[in-house]
Amino acid sequence: MNLISPSILSCDYSRMGEEFEDMKKCGADWLHIDVMDGHFVPNITLGAPIVKCMRKCSDLVFDVHLMISDPIKYAPDFVKAGADIITFHIESDCDTAETVKLIKSSGCKAGIAVKPGTPAEAVFPYLGDIDMVLVMTVEPGFGGQSFMEDMMEKVTAVRKECERLSLDTDIQVDGGISLKTVEKAAKAGANVFVAGSAIFGADDRKAMITSLRELASRA
């Protein structure tokens, strides 16, 4: 199933409740919530207390992407705040297997993200234990960057390994996803598409989400 997860990094933070409701009406499947600590990536966004407030505004799936150095320490806070899926980076300072175990034991789905410079094979040992792999198609830290098409080889490698293991793991792509790139990502093997400015900046958000999903389905 192809899923669209609008990145709230591009929403109007002064109207978050309205923005989230609009995303639901426009057909979004999830809401992608980027958490940055200013250390793992050169930007700072928000923490668990804000996600807790967000949870009051929407019943959509909260797809929380932890771009932080110490996810095993902070993941429980995001579970309590209302996250449904918690994805953390394999390049973080924590033990990957232990972090996955903690997230799963807390009742959340767990995902592992990889930066552009990290090979696909890095996630292979964990595929049997996780629900999603996030392949970054830009360098993490800021929205509005250009899509890195060479990351599609990595998406394909992860998909082929999941198929070899008979796993239906979700593969998410994040960065530069638009009407021009979503079909390429889907053909490579992705099925969850994070888009920020392409959706929130569209004149017709519903039409944009519908078009992204339709283009992905053509692949």
Side-chain angles (χ1 to χ4, degrees):
M1 181 182 295
N2 292 313
L3 303 172
I4 307 299
S5 186
S7 171
I8 69 164
L9 200 61
S10 297
C11 83
D12 182 345
Y13 278 79
S14 70
R15 301 172 48 250
M16 281 195 295
E18 296 172 43
E19 293 279 65
F20 294 175
E21 183 61 26
D22 189 43
M23 287 299 101
K24 183 175 181 179
K25 290 179 180 177
C26 289
D29 300 290
W30 299 354
L31 286 174
H32 188 80
I33 302 171
D34 287 309
V35 177
M36 309 180 196
D37 63 0
H39 182 258
F40 184 75
V41 292
N43 198 4
I44 296 174
T45 52
L46 48 85
I50 296 177
V51 174
K52 184 177 180 180
C53 293
M54 291 176 177
R55 183 78 278 179
K56 300 174 184 178
C57 301
S58 178
D59 59 1
L60 285 173
V61 170
F62 273 19
D63 167 29
V64 176
H65 177 195
L66 299 182
M67 288 178 268
I68 64 178
S69 297
D70 197 6
I72 199 167
K73 179 178 180 180
Y74 294 101
D77 294 335
F78 288 94
V79 173
K80 293 175 184 176
D84 297 291
I85 304 164
I86 295 179
T87 301
F88 68 97
H89 276 264
I90 198 166
E91 305 92 351
S92 73
D93 296 336
C94 298
D95 181 275
T96 300
E98 288 301 314
T99 306
V100 169
K101 183 178 179 180
L102 173 68
I103 293 169
K104 299 281 282 187
S105 67
S106 299
C108 272
K109 290 185 177 181
I112 294 177
V114 289
K115 291 182 178 182
T118 301
E121 291 75 16
V123 302
F124 287 4
Y126 310 102
L127 289 176
D129 299 314
I130 60 177
D131 302 283
M132 185 168 73
V133 175
L134 166 53
V135 176
M136 293 298 301
T137 45
V138 296
E139 288 292 344
F142 293 92
Q145 297 183 61
S146 297
F147 179 76
M148 300 172 68
E149 191 168 347
D150 55 339
M151 293 299 104
M152 296 305 94
E153 293 181 9
K154 189 183 301 185
V155 171
T156 299
V158 175
R159 178 57 72 198
K160 286 183 176 179
E161 182 66 7
C162 288
E163 291 174 350
R164 188 184 73 82
L165 298 172
S166 299
L167 299 172
D168 59 355
T169 309
D170 287 321
I171 300 180
Q172 184 178 70
V173 284
D174 180 4
I177 298 301
S178 68
L179 296 178
K180 294 181 180 179
T181 60
V182 67
E183 193 170 357
K184 295 176 184 177
K187 284 181 178 178
N191 71 297
V192 184
F193 307 93
V194 177
S197 54
I199 293 175
F200 283 100
D203 293 331
D204 188 333
R205 294 171 169 183
K206 183 175 182 179
M208 176 58 70
I209 290 173
T210 299
S211 295
L212 288 169
R213 187 179 285 110
E214 288 177 349
L215 285 169
S217 297
R218 290 183 190 176

